[in-house]
Structures are given as C-alpha cells and as structure tokens.
Amino acid sequence: MGHTSLDKIKALQKNPANVRNLCILAHVDHGKTTLADSLVASNGIISSRLAGKLRYLDSREDEQIRGITMKSSAISLHYASGEKDYLINLIDSPGHVDFSSEVSTAVRLCDGAIVIVDAVEGVCPQTQAVLRQAWLENIRPVLVINKIDRLIMELKLTSQEAYTHLQKILEQVNAVTGSLFTSKVLEDRAVKEERAEEDKEEGDIEPAECPGLEQVYDWSAGLEDSDDSQLYFSPDQGNVVFASAIDGWGFSIQQFAQIHSQRMGIRAEVLLKTLWGDFYLNAKAKKIMKGAHAKGKKPLFVQLVLDNIWSLYDAVVTRRDKEKIEKMMMSLGVKVMTRDSRHSDPKVLLSAICSQWLPVSQAVLFMVCDKLPSPLDMTSERIERLMSVGARRFHSLPLQTQELKTAFMQCSSDDTAPVIVFVSKMFMVDAKALPQNKQRPLTQEEMAQRRELARQRHTERLAAIQQTESGEGNGQSGSTTPATTPGGDNTIGKVSQEEEEKETFVAFARVYSGVVRRGQKVFVMGPKYDPAQGLRMVRIVSACLPPVPHLACCTMDSLYLLMGRELEELEEVPSGNVLGIGGLEECVLKSATLSTSPALPPFIPLNFEATPIVRVAIEPKHPSEMPKLVRGMRLLNQADPCAEVLIQETGEHVLVTAGEVHLQRCLDDLRERFAKIEISASKPIIPFRETVIRPPKVDMVNEDLGKQQKVAVIHQVKESDTLHLDPSGLVTLTTPNRQATVGVRAIPLPEEVTLLLEGSADLIRTLEQAGQAQREGRTLDMSTWTLDALMVLKSRLEVLLQGRKWRNAVDRIWAFGPRRYGPNILLNSVEGYQRPSVWHCLEREKGEKEGGAKAEASAIRDFDNSVVSGFQLATLSGPMCEEPLMGVCFSVERWDMNFPTQRTHLDSVTEEDSNSLDASVSESPGEAAGHPEASGKAGGAVDCYGPFSGQLIAAVKEACRHAFQAKPQRLMAAMYTCEIMATAEVLGRVYGVLGKREGRVLQEEMKEGTEMFIIKAVLPVAESFGFADEIRKRTSGLASPQLVFSHWEVISSDPSWVPTTEEEYLHFGVKADSANQALKYMNGVRRRKGLYVEEKIVEHGEKQRTLSKNK
C-alpha cells in the first residue's frame, strides 16, 4: 500500500464506524515497537526493509540508545479490507515498569488493545499489569504471540513441542483474564446481595417468600449466569495472531483455513473450527477426526501450519538449501530480488519470502478491524464509570449530566452535539517541528521569483565591486544597498532562531462527542468540579465566566494529526478520533476534561500502576540560574504524567519519580530540554517511616530478655520538673506556664489497622472535611456510597481493634495524622471528657435530631484543636530522624487546665461563643497562630489562638515524642517487589546480588517448557539503586529485574541497640562492628537533614600513622 494522503485521512475521520483507536501493550522487550514498525511500513511511511530496525515510533534519542520505549506516541494508518477503508489510530506504549503511567494515558484514549506476549518468556509481570489496566478501562484486547522464530532458532523445539508450548501460553493469558472476570462478577454479586438485604429490611421481600435464603450460599451461581464467551483468547475466534515481527511474518488461523480449504476441498468454516484443538486429518477417510493426542497423531495445526513454517526456516536459515528454497518459492508464488537471494545473511532472504507469503501487517490489521470495537460501540458501563468520579455514582448526578450519556453512545459529529474531549497527557514539541513553522515545498512561481531576486543581488554586488575599483565618488552610496540587506536578513534570522528554540506543549487527546474546531472555546473541568453547581451558574462558554469553582475557559489554538515524529495541521476533528491540541498549556497541567457543556463532570483520574517513590534534590551548578531551574521543573512536571515536583520545608527542590530509569530520563530532560542548564542532583532521598512495636521477648542473639529491655527503654527518657515518665510508659508533661498538664501513652497499632488506614486515606480526608464543615456550621453533601464506605471502614476498625485496651477505641478516635488523614490515631482517654466522635457526621447524616447534635457539639473543650495540632506535628516528624510516623496510636489519658485569673470567664462562656470558637478552628497546624479575628469572636472569654495555645501545641508534641521514645522504636523501610527472570546457570549470582543488598527471596519457580526461572523477592528501596545494572553485569545480561513499590516493612534491628550482655559481646564484639542496618539508615537520614549524628570521627587516636612512619 502506498503512502496515504492527508486528505484521505481527513475523509476517513468523518466515518466513526470505520475508525479503530488502539494501543499496543506488552512487557518490556516483547516486540511492541518492532510490530508497530511493520504496521507503519504497510502505509509506505518507512521502508519494509527497515521495519524492526528503525523503531520509527521511538523518536527520542535515549529511547534509541537504550532500546526501550519511554513515551507513548501515536500514528494514524489507513487499511483497506475489501471495499471498506479503515482509519487506525495506533498508540505505541512503553513496557518498562517505570513508565507504566504512559500506558495509563494511552489506554484511556483507546477502545481496544493489541496485547503482545513473547513466545519464549510467556506471561510476565508487566503483561499481567497491562491486562489489568485494559480491564479497568473496559477496553477489548486481542492477542499477538510474537517471537515464534525464537522457538525454532533458540529453543530448537519441534513443531509438535512448539504447539504444546503455545497452548500453555494461551492458557496463562486466559487465566489472568479469567481471574479479573471472576473478581468482577463476585463484586457485582455482592452489591446485588446488599441491595436485596436493604429491600428486605424495608419490607419489600417477605421472609416467608424466601425460606432458607441465608442457609445455602452458592458462590458459583453468579459465574454460571454471566456471559464470558467474548472474554477469552482463542485462535478459532479470530482474536489471536501468531507472529515473528522481526522476520516480518504473522498469521491468523483464518488465513490458513482459506488456503487449505481450496487445496483439500474442505469448507473453510470446518477448518476454522478444527485447525486449533485436538483434531487430526485421517488421510484414508479424508476426514477430520477428534482425539489426536490420544491416538498419537499430529494435530491439524502442526500438520497444516507449523510444519510449513519449520521447513521454511530449516531450508533457508539452517541448511541454506537453494534447490529446496526455489521449490518453496515456486509453490508459494513468491518472487524475491536477486540481491536478497545472494545476501550473506539468510535472515534477509527469509524475511523477503515471509513478508510476501504471510505479511504480519495484514494479519494484525485484519484482526484489529474485525474484532476490536469502533467508537460507536462504546459500552454504557464504561461511560458511566468514566463519569462517576470519586464518591459520586452515575445515578446521583444531575439529569442533564446523565443525558450526556447518549452523546457518548451516538458519537455524533453534528453541530448540535456537545463537544466532549479528554486530554490524557501533555507532551512537549520543538517549535520548529510544528507544521506552521516547517519549510514547505516551493511552487514554480515562487522558485522563479527567488531566482530573479538572486540575480538582481548578484548584479548589484558586481556593480558595487566595479565602482570601488574605479574609485568613483558615488561608490559609497551604491554599496550601501547590498550592505543593508544582509544586515536585515541577519536580524530576521536571529528572531526566527529564537522562535525555533521555544518549545510548545501539545495535548494528547481524544474527541468523544461533537466536532472540535480550531479556535473553539471550551470549558476545562477541574478534578473537583461539581456539575450541579456549574449548571446553576453557567449556561454558555464565554471569556468572562462567573467564578465557578474548578471551572475554567480556554481556546484550542491549533489541532494536529499525530503521525509519530511528525504533526499535520487540521482545521477540525470529528468525534471518535485521537488528536493533538495546541494552546492548552496555561489551562491544563497533566490531564483534563474539556467540554462545551457545563453539565459534564470531570472523568475519573487515570489509574497509575507505579507509585512515585524515588526522590532527589536538585540544584543548579551556578546559583544565578535558579529561575531557569524552577521554570524547567515546572515544565517537566507538566510534561511527565508520573513525575512530581515539590519544594520542601528546607527550600530544596525535590523531584519524585517512579524508578531509576525514569529518574535518569527526567534529569536528562531537565538538562537538555526544559531548564537547559547544568544541574547537580543529590543522592536519592530514601523515604522511611518511624514506628513503635510491642516489647520484644528475645534480644539480638535470641536470648530471653526478661526485664532488662524495659529498664533500658525507660532510661532513654530524661525526667525533669515538667516531664514525668510512668513505669507503664505514660508520659506526663506540664506547659512552661504551669497552666496545663498532658498525659500521653504510645501504643503500637495492629498491622492490619495500619494497612487499612493507609488504603483509606481518601475516605478519611472526606470524613475530616465533613467534620470541619459541621464545626463551621456548614453541611457537606456526601453520596450514600461515601456514607456506606465510611460505615464499612468504621465497622472494620471495630473488628480489628479487639481486646481490653482497645475497648470503645473506635468511638474515642480524636483525630488521624499526619496531615489529618495518615495511618496514626489520636485517642481520647481523658476521664470525664465526652467530646464528639470523628464519626459524628455519619450519625447526623443517618438522621439524628439537630438539637441533640448541637448539644453534643458544645461539649468540645477550649484548646481542643491545640491538642490535635500538637499530635499532627508529632506524627509528621518523629524523634528518630524527623520522618513521618506510621502505625502509632497516641492515647491522651490526662488533660488538666488551670486558669487562676480567667476562671470566672470560663464559666460564663455561652453556647454560641463555644460554637463560634469551634468554627474558627484552623485546617492545618501551621495556621493555628496569629488569628486576631478568632479571639474576637469568642467575646473575650478564652483566646484559643493566643500564647497559651502555642505552649499547649508544643507540650502535646513533646509528650507524644517522649511517649514514642518510651516504647521500643523501629524504622520502617519502603520495599520493592522484585521479579527476576534468569536461566539456571546464573541463578547463584542473582541470589548473591540479592543477599548483598538485604533482599529476601519469597518464591522461585521454573517456567514450564523453558530453562527460565522466575524469582520473586522483596528488596529495600534504599538498596535498589544500581541493582538492575549489577544484576545485568553479574549475569552477563541473562537476568533482568522488574521493581515495583510494594509496601512498608519494619526493620527488625533496634537502631539504639548496644551490646550489654556477655553473649552479645562474644557475638558482636566490643564495638558491635557488624553493621546495624537500621542505625546506618537512620544516621544517613539525620546527616542529610543536618541533625546531630552520634559517631566517632577518630577510632583510635594513638594508632594513626604519621608521615615518618610511612617512609
């Protein structure tokens, strides 16, 4: 197929039924970009000879050097099947785990996906991740089993063994899809059960009508009823292609069914059903029979398909049998150029034959057009999910918003249809690469005009030279004309050069409804935009919007067709197409929802698999270039979906990335594209958490501890006249003005509770906002789904916090921290102080009387917020190395306040005054000082933001820190899960590297049919830098790890431990030379933060060698 013109693509865009938006998903190095090259070559954009070598869609230099894709990039292709013309918007995505955020941005814009699996390696960790992402976005996948040539050339499998191997790979992929499907069905069934129970409670169902309903519970019922016919991959369904993209061939069963039906006289439909499976050809009866495996016969797939490919490889690559090659080419009807047949590399001849016999592009594109849905086939389930952001459900949205669902379903390009666009990411393009700045080919008239101008200049220059030589008087005036022209040209050149150096952002987007036109004005919906509020205030898109929260207006300056490395300018784009939009950099940060209708809610946020965990502090080499660095980091933050840019309290500029490769790419981008200055990056800043544990029963040499640990712990806290430590661990602290005394005890939270709180951060934040609104006299509208989720969270906490010390603990929760939604709890154990619970808003929403609620609200004591602020500060930076706390419960058991001068005023505080005090509670600890208005509201009774408030905050913070130190304290390290594929001969070296870096192997299993082992391990993030390079060096490239952030884990060793018993001295030596891992990490963090580190600079002063000694 020749090169497709831009006009042809514009015409194809207008027919959404024949548009296919798809992305290529796979594990790293499974052949995504190579396959994309073959598809691009089918349109004549690149030479078919260069397909697989050029990697056309890897446009960045570092992508070409490393050989991996780092950015998802799109291209539009034309495919003709019979009389139908299709437009295929193809997005190539990365496979490396560090760039999984790019996969999320690609998947959101597509309706289907090509999932590629390596025939040797099979289903890998990232294959499972991309299948899960495709499932979560409700897009339909098709399968390409790639690199089948490796089964022939590397594993040396026979065609029968290869068939068995391919069957196992299909089973593995279907097992992943099946598990996702099962979990969804069971989830839906649980929701239905809950609804049925609610109806039963309301009296809709009589218990007599359903006797024994609760006695028998059949788990499989939901799975049996649900339709999974279109779910699994099977060659006979036409959603599987077998390929070798590097050799340029690929086929589906349909192709061989048509070929052999003509030769054998068997109907193509019969062959299609029997080519894959346990069927064989009975040569005598000339019938297809079942039971090939039982009778020891060759399956049809081996006999009719694989044997032909194996014999071709054997003749061309292994034996190089020219006669046999000639016969094969004759029977296949293939003609090869002489230079290909004489080439020294047999793979050149092989790809020349295969690309004509079984072109991979034809097989894949036919499958895509036949099996993947068009934009018109978008499911209502997917639309509802896209529009149900956060706690809101689709049925709870305004009616005008629900009506937009029909616009999605129709995918209409009428002028009346609302424009709906989703921007999944912003990417940067050189200004000189934009179509309007490119040099276009000159017409004949323009060329003639330029030629004439050049002749004139030449004659003028010759005349000027002759005048100077002859020495005539008017020589000077004559020479001024040509002299000024070049000067003018230079200035124009400088201006254009400056323009070229600028880089602009282009939004990577898709139109879901309506027609997008250049210069059109649209709304930009922020992530917290509420359509109900917007509909009340806005009717039309205009430049002067009323101040609607989280809604802005912007103009789409230019529209582009994405063609890999090139951009083509468009005037309009109809619905159902992928496009680039220019001019949104001021309105859109990373992703956004655009529409002409204010009824549209923002789409749900993108689902990122990788968590940004690797931090580095960045500074310019020359301090004067700091503004350039700040601007560069702002641009990087906008251009990268996963990178985060922070400015810490210390003033450091911190970059947070998903992993080592991602970090390196971000730093290169900062140096070369965004900041264009020399920068220096610190060593990675490793995040830790601090926690307390229950007193251990054995010491470092597994000896029984007895009471010595408790004694050692208690002596860590130095008592003073204002600080008292109880033997049970209760710390009592008095403020410097002696007006308040606080008693705090630290208790370790069960691990399950910590995990639950960490996973429910968004819910707890919503709960805190509701409580804040209630204290300020406002009401926060929460959906029933959010209320139900909060009730479930409360009940789960009640189940997990069992025992005598946790009695009624859930109702006594005062606050969560740090930042009011962290995994630590402040517990109210003060006798006689019945403050409202944090769950108070739930009870009110459930229909409690307002009078009772007000009376309860008035029970909040003065300075209640000061105690909470002190707790927030204490949990934000712990005493070990100023890192946040995790899994700690601080129980306030005493809180006495004594105001000798203001006693009379306290008694006369009215209910309204106390309510107004509560209303003026600040959101964050940093705002808890300097509010003169707040003290004025209280009628002069108690100054809740005066000096005493600050003293109480400091006292609570110090009491929490001392209570923390009175318990056995430990560091928690961030952990990666590490999956390594390695051969048996390098297994020992992999274990060696893991052991050296404090890794722990969880599982090791051999992959069936291969020599590969899969090792699953956990590795501290602190030890992971350089891990992948070291593994590759030690194993000569035969093992490659995939690191994904997993969880936080307590480091078992005590950082403050010193040897005391005789056994410990014998085991660890007098100095305890064997490194204490926790102490090493703790001192590293303290040193970075400029805190005091207790270490000896000189070990043995008398043993230092002098210069005379060295002579």
Side-chain angles (χ1 to χ4, degrees):
M1 193 185 290
H3 189 67
T4 311
S5 68
L6 183 60
D7 294 331
K8 176 74 173 172
I9 288 177
K10 283 179 185 174
L12 289 169
Q13 282 186 335
K14 290 173 183 172
N15 182 11
N18 287 359
V19 172
R20 299 289 182 273
N21 298 314
L22 61 113
C23 52
I24 304 182
L25 309 174
H27 187 78
V28 67
D29 284 336
H30 278 202
K32 292 179 296 302
T33 310
T34 307
L35 179 68
D37 268 9
S38 301
L39 303 184
V40 170
S42 71
N43 268 227
I45 296 169
I46 61 170
S47 162
S48 57
R49 288 174 175 277
L50 294 173
K53 302 176 186 72
L54 187 64
R55 301 207 306 278
Y56 181 74
L57 292 178
D58 286 355
S59 53
R60 292 169 57 98
E61 191 182 346
D62 48 1
E63 287 179 323
Q64 291 287 346
I65 292 166
R66 278 184 181 266
I68 60 169
T69 306
M70 294 183 185
K71 286 270 186 192
S72 51
S73 47
I75 192 164
S76 294
L77 304 174
H78 168 227
Y79 173 65
S81 174
E83 294 178 2
K84 285 188 177 179
D85 282 338
Y86 291 94
L87 175 67
I88 290 161
N89 295 316
L90 180 77
I91 306 175
D92 183 27
S93 63
H96 196 284
V97 68
D98 281 12
F99 307 108
S100 59
S101 58
E102 292 282 339
V103 177
S104 304
T105 61
V107 165
R108 172 59 63 85
L109 304 184
C110 296
D111 301 306
I114 301 172
V115 177
I116 302 179
V117 177
D118 189 322
V120 173
E121 293 181 8
V123 175
C124 291
Q126 206 57 22
T127 314
Q128 296 179 11
V130 296
L131 279 167
R132 185 165 57 251
Q133 279 178 302
W135 178 266
L136 288 171
E137 289 287 348
N138 284 64
I139 68 168
R140 192 182 300 170
V142 290
L143 184 67
V144 173
I145 299 179
N146 193 22
K147 302 192 182 184
I148 290 181
D149 60 297
R150 290 182 71 191
L151 301 178
I152 309 170
M153 306 306 297
E154 286 180 29
L155 299 187
K156 304 276 194 292
L157 299 183
T158 63
S159 53
Q160 179 72 46
E161 290 166 342
Y163 172 65
T164 314
H165 184 77
L166 292 171
Q167 274 184 317
K168 284 176 181 169
I169 286 174
L170 264 176
E171 283 169 17
Q172 288 171 9
V173 180
N174 285 333
V176 175
T177 317
S179 65
L180 293 166
F181 174 70
T182 309
S183 63
K184 180 180 178 289
V185 169
L186 293 176
E187 216 172 276
D188 292 348
R189 187 162 179 230
V191 171
K192 283 178 188 173
E193 293 276 337
E194 279 176 24
R195 283 180 189 162
E197 278 178 24
E198 283 171 16
D199 293 342
K200 187 178 168 184
E201 283 169 16
E202 289 168 14
D204 294 344
I205 302 172
E206 292 293 327
E209 285 178 64
C210 44
L213 182 71
E214 294 176 8
Q215 293 169 10
V216 181
Y217 193 83
D218 183 12
W219 287 98
S220 62
L223 291 170
E224 285 171 5
D225 298 341
S226 48
D227 177 34
D228 60 349
S229 56
Q230 297 295 315
L231 180 72
Y232 298 110
F233 299 106
S234 177
D236 54 3
Q237 282 188 11
N239 58 3
V240 180
V241 160
F242 303 93
S244 168
I246 196 75
D247 289 340
W249 61 265
F251 64 88
S252 62
I253 276 184
Q254 281 91 329
Q255 287 172 270
F256 275 96
Q258 285 164 1
I259 293 166
H260 290 294
S261 69
Q262 294 166 1
R263 290 183 181 178
M264 297 164 65
I266 300 172
R267 281 185 297 126
E269 295 81 22
V270 176
L271 273 175
L272 191 59
K273 288 177 182 174
T274 55
L275 257 177
W276 182 264
D278 195 26
F279 298 95
Y280 72 97
L281 183 68
N282 189 329
K284 290 179 182 177
K286 291 188 178 180
K287 284 183 181 177
I288 293 171
M289 316 274 283
K290 200 171 184 181
H293 182 70
K295 295 175 183 175
K297 302 281 188 181
K298 267 188 183 180
L300 269 182
F301 187 73
V302 176
Q303 191 177 348
L304 301 182
V305 179
L306 294 185
D307 279 353
N308 292 325
I309 293 167
W310 256 245
S311 57
L312 180 65
Y313 268 82
D314 181 58
V316 177
V317 182
T318 312
R319 296 185 184 176
R320 303 194 185 186
D321 188 340
K322 287 187 179 178
E323 289 180 15
K324 195 173 182 182
I325 293 168
E326 288 292 332
K327 283 180 185 175
M328 282 183 168
M329 284 163 59
M330 285 285 288
S331 63
L332 294 172
V334 171
K335 289 184 179 179
V336 178
M337 293 171 73
T338 314
R339 67 173 182 180
D340 289 339
S341 58
R342 289 179 180 175
H343 204 283
S344 57
D345 184 5
K347 283 275 188 158
V348 173
L349 176 59
L350 180 77
S351 59
I353 296 169
C354 291
S355 57
Q356 291 180 56
W357 176 37
L358 300 169
V360 66
S361 57
Q362 288 295 317
V364 172
L365 292 175
F366 177 79
M367 174 176 70
V368 160
C369 296
D370 190 38
K371 293 295 169 187
L372 293 186
S374 71
L376 292 171
D377 302 326
M378 188 183 272
T379 60
S380 60
E381 185 188 356
R382 186 183 179 195
I383 296 163
E384 287 180 17
R385 194 173 172 279
L386 281 176
M387 295 169 77
S388 305
V389 67
R392 288 177 292 193
R393 282 288 164 265
F394 182 75
H395 301 294
S396 67
L397 292 167
L399 277 173
Q400 284 170 280
T401 303
Q402 292 185 37
E403 284 165 10
L404 287 173
K405 182 178 171 181
T406 54
F408 274 98
M409 300 285 280
Q410 289 169 355
C411 195
S412 171
S413 297
D414 295 340
D415 291 337
T416 53
V419 171
I420 301 173
V421 179
F422 182 75
V423 175
S424 71
K425 70 166 185 174
M426 304 289 285
F427 64 96
M428 198 169 238
V429 177
D430 289 338
K432 58 187 174 186
L434 294 173
Q436 56 263 39
N437 298 341
K438 276 187 185 172
Q439 287 186 343
R440 57 182 179 80
L442 298 173
T443 60
Q444 291 291 335
E445 294 82 10
E446 286 173 330
M447 287 167 76
Q449 198 176 352
R450 288 198 175 191
R451 202 178 296 119
E452 192 58 40
L453 277 169
R455 278 178 188 154
Q456 281 179 13
R457 279 184 199 150
H458 185 63
T459 50
E460 282 173 8
R461 205 176 291 119
L462 284 175
I465 291 165
Q466 285 172 4
Q467 283 175 0
T468 24
E469 281 176 0
S470 60
E472 286 178 13
N474 60 352
Q476 288 179 349
S477 60
S479 63
T480 53
T481 316
T484 51
T485 317
D489 287 345
N490 284 346
T491 52
I492 294 161
K494 280 177 187 173
V495 171
S496 63
Q497 195 176 346
E498 280 175 19
E499 281 177 7
E500 279 184 359
E501 280 179 8
K502 285 181 186 174
E503 296 191 332
T504 56
F505 276 106
V506 173
F508 191 37
R510 172 180 167 175
V511 188
Y512 286 91
S513 169
V515 180
V516 175
R517 292 183 174 83
R518 196 164 73 169
Q520 189 175 13
K521 280 188 166 57
V522 286
F523 292 123
V524 181
M525 282 74 180
K528 293 181 183 177
Y529 171 67
D530 183 9
Q533 194 177 11
L535 284 166
R536 286 195 299 269
M537 302 174 76
V538 183
R539 291 290 165 205
I540 55 160
V541 186
S542 63
C544 49
L545 274 175
V548 183
H550 313 291
L551 186 71
C553 184
C554 71
T555 308
M556 294 186 274
D557 293 339
S558 43
L559 307 176
Y560 302 109
L561 176 70
L562 304 169
M563 292 296 290
R565 305 177 186 197
E566 309 292 325
L567 294 172
E568 299 288 348
E569 202 163 14
L570 299 172
E571 287 299 317
E572 62 175 43
V573 178
S575 65
N577 289 286
V578 174
L579 77 158
I581 306 173
L584 297 182
E585 55 263 32
E586 297 300 323
C587 311
V588 178
L589 180 63
K590 296 190 181 210
S591 63
T593 311
L594 314 177
S595 179
T596 51
S597 166
L600 183 75
F603 284 11
I604 57 166
L606 295 166
N607 175 50
F608 291 148
E609 288 280 323
T611 314
I613 192 79
V614 181
R615 298 170 171 240
V616 289
I618 295 173
E619 60 183 17
K621 283 273 177 76
H622 308 293
S624 59
E625 293 178 328
M626 181 56 93
K628 287 184 181 177
L629 176 69
V630 172
R631 180 181 168 276
M633 289 186 80
R634 184 172 54 77
L635 294 175
L636 173 66
N637 184 40
Q638 193 170 9
D640 197 300
C642 196
E644 292 177 12
V645 172
L646 314 167
I647 298 177
Q648 290 194 324
E649 295 87 347
T650 53
E652 287 178 305
H653 289 266
V654 174
L655 175 65
V656 193
T657 58
E660 218 177 337
V661 183
H662 187 208
L663 172 66
Q664 193 57 52
R665 194 203 70 190
C666 287
L667 292 176
D668 290 346
D669 277 354
L670 260 181
R671 287 190 188 101
E672 292 160 19
R673 298 186 69 186
F674 300 130
K676 295 182 180 175
I677 56 168
E678 286 185 44
I679 56 170
S680 55
S682 70
K683 285 183 180 176
I685 300 168
I686 316 297
F688 289 96
R689 296 286 181 268
E690 300 179 25
T691 191
V692 290
I693 58 165
R694 296 171 71 182
K697 292 177 181 172
V698 292
D699 63 4
M700 297 287 280
V701 285
N702 292 331
E703 293 287 331
D704 190 32
L705 266 175
K707 292 184 180 177
Q708 66 171 33
Q709 175 75 12
K710 195 174 274 187
V711 173
V713 162
I714 286 169
H715 285 306
Q716 285 179 4
V717 180
K718 293 178 181 177
E719 295 195 13
S720 66
D721 54 343
T722 56
L723 174 67
H724 175 69
L725 174 64
D726 194 84
S728 64
L730 177 68
V731 171
T732 311
L733 196 120
T734 309
T735 55
N737 61 6
R738 312 281 179 178
Q739 288 183 2
T741 306
V742 181
V744 181
R745 186 192 306 277
I747 310 165
L749 282 173
E751 190 180 346
E752 298 85 3
V753 176
T754 310
L755 290 172
L756 178 61
L757 292 177
E758 196 181 10
S760 311
D762 290 335
L763 267 179
I764 296 168
R765 196 189 280 119
T766 309
L767 181 70
E768 172 60 34
Q769 285 167 358
Q772 182 74 14
Q774 199 167 320
R775 287 194 293 272
E776 292 173 5
R778 295 183 289 111
T779 53
L780 186 74
D781 294 330
M782 283 198 290
S783 67
T784 51
W785 182 85
T786 312
L787 289 169
D788 292 342
L790 285 167
M791 290 299 287
V792 169
L793 174 64
K794 185 182 177 184
S795 58
R796 284 188 68 188
L797 281 172
E798 284 168 349
V799 170
L800 293 170
L801 292 172
Q802 295 287 346
R804 186 172 53 81
K805 65 178 177 181
W806 298 113
R807 192 174 295 134
N808 298 328
V810 178
D811 289 320
R812 290 187 287 117
I813 292 175
W814 199 333
F816 298 93
R819 298 186 180 91
R820 297 182 180 264
Y821 57 86
N824 303 288
I825 291 175
L826 181 67
L827 217 57
N828 174 23
S829 304
V830 182
E831 283 185 32
Y833 180 30
Q834 297 296 322
R835 79 181 296 282
S837 163
V838 288
W839 314 100
H840 179 56
C841 60
L842 292 183
E843 293 152 18
R844 185 170 176 180
E845 291 282 347
K846 291 290 179 189
E848 280 209 350
K849 290 177 185 175
E850 286 193 19
K854 277 188 181 178
E856 205 174 350
S858 66
I860 294 181
R861 279 169 68 170
D862 300 321
F863 302 107
D864 179 279
N865 198 54
S866 299
V867 176
V868 175
S869 298
F871 161 73
Q872 299 295 344
L873 289 170
T875 50
L876 193 59
S877 56
M880 294 168 74
C881 51
E882 304 289 331
E883 288 287 300
L885 303 191
M886 189 173 188
V888 185
C889 170
F890 290 110
S891 175
V892 180
E893 298 187 4
R894 184 181 169 193
W895 179 22
D896 302 332
M897 286 197 291
N898 178 26
F899 297 105
T901 54
Q902 295 183 4
R903 177 74 67 187
T904 53
H905 293 292
L906 266 173
D907 297 335
S908 63
V909 176
T910 61
E911 185 177 283
E912 285 183 21
D913 291 333
S914 63
N915 280 341
S916 62
L917 272 173
D918 300 331
S920 59
V921 168
S922 67
E923 176 65 28
S924 66
E927 294 170 12
H931 283 262
E933 318 88 57
S935 57
K937 282 181 190 174
V942 178
D943 186 3
C944 275
Y945 298 100
F948 175 67
S949 166
Q951 286 198 11
L952 185 57
I953 290 171
V956 173
K957 178 190 171 188
E958 285 306 311
C960 289
R961 287 171 78 101
H962 287 307
F964 181 91
Q965 287 175 304
K967 294 280 177 183
Q969 44 192 354
R970 296 286 186 272
L971 268 186
M972 292 182 84
M975 303 297 281
Y976 276 137
T977 50
C978 169
E979 295 215 8
I980 306 168
M981 293 188 70
T983 51
E985 56 264 25
V986 297
L987 217 53
R989 295 175 194 174
V990 170
Y991 276 87
V993 176
L994 276 169
K996 191 175 88 174
R997 291 175 174 264
E998 308 291 328
R1000 192 173 72 251
V1001 176
L1002 303 177
Q1003 187 185 349
E1004 177 202 295
E1005 58 181 25
M1006 191 171 187
K1007 214 169 180 61
E1008 276 189 85
T1010 67
E1011 296 176 358
M1012 305 294 281
F1013 282 84
I1014 300 175
I1015 302 153
K1016 292 183 180 175
V1018 287
L1019 183 78
V1021 173
E1023 302 288 342
S1024 67
F1025 301 101
F1027 173 71
D1029 287 341
E1030 188 177 358
I1031 282 257
R1032 275 195 284 271
K1033 282 174 189 169
R1034 292 290 302 277
T1035 61
S1036 306
L1038 292 174
S1040 55
Q1042 285 270 308
L1043 299 170
V1044 186
F1045 175 70
S1046 169
H1047 64 285
W1048 296 91
E1049 195 172 282
V1050 177
I1051 302 170
S1052 56
S1053 54
D1054 182 2
S1056 57
W1057 175 83
V1058 285
T1060 50
T1061 64
E1062 195 175 334
E1063 289 86 357
E1064 286 170 350
Y1065 277 126
L1066 285 170
H1067 194 278
F1068 292 100
V1070 181
K1071 296 189 297 173
D1073 308 82
S1074 53
N1076 181 340
Q1077 199 67 21
L1079 181 66
K1080 186 181 89 174
Y1081 291 150
M1082 189 177 88
N1083 284 346
V1085 176
R1086 290 184 73 89
R1087 201 175 287 113
R1088 176 172 59 78
K1089 291 185 175 181
L1091 303 171
Y1092 171 69
V1093 179
E1094 193 175 334
E1095 59 182 351
K1096 290 180 182 176
I1097 296 170
V1098 177
E1099 282 283 323
H1100 300 286
E1102 72 279 1
K1103 287 190 177 178
Q1104 286 194 357
R1105 308 184 84 184
T1106 59
L1107 286 171
S1108 57
K1109 186 97 173 176
N1110 284 334
K1111 281 180 182 176

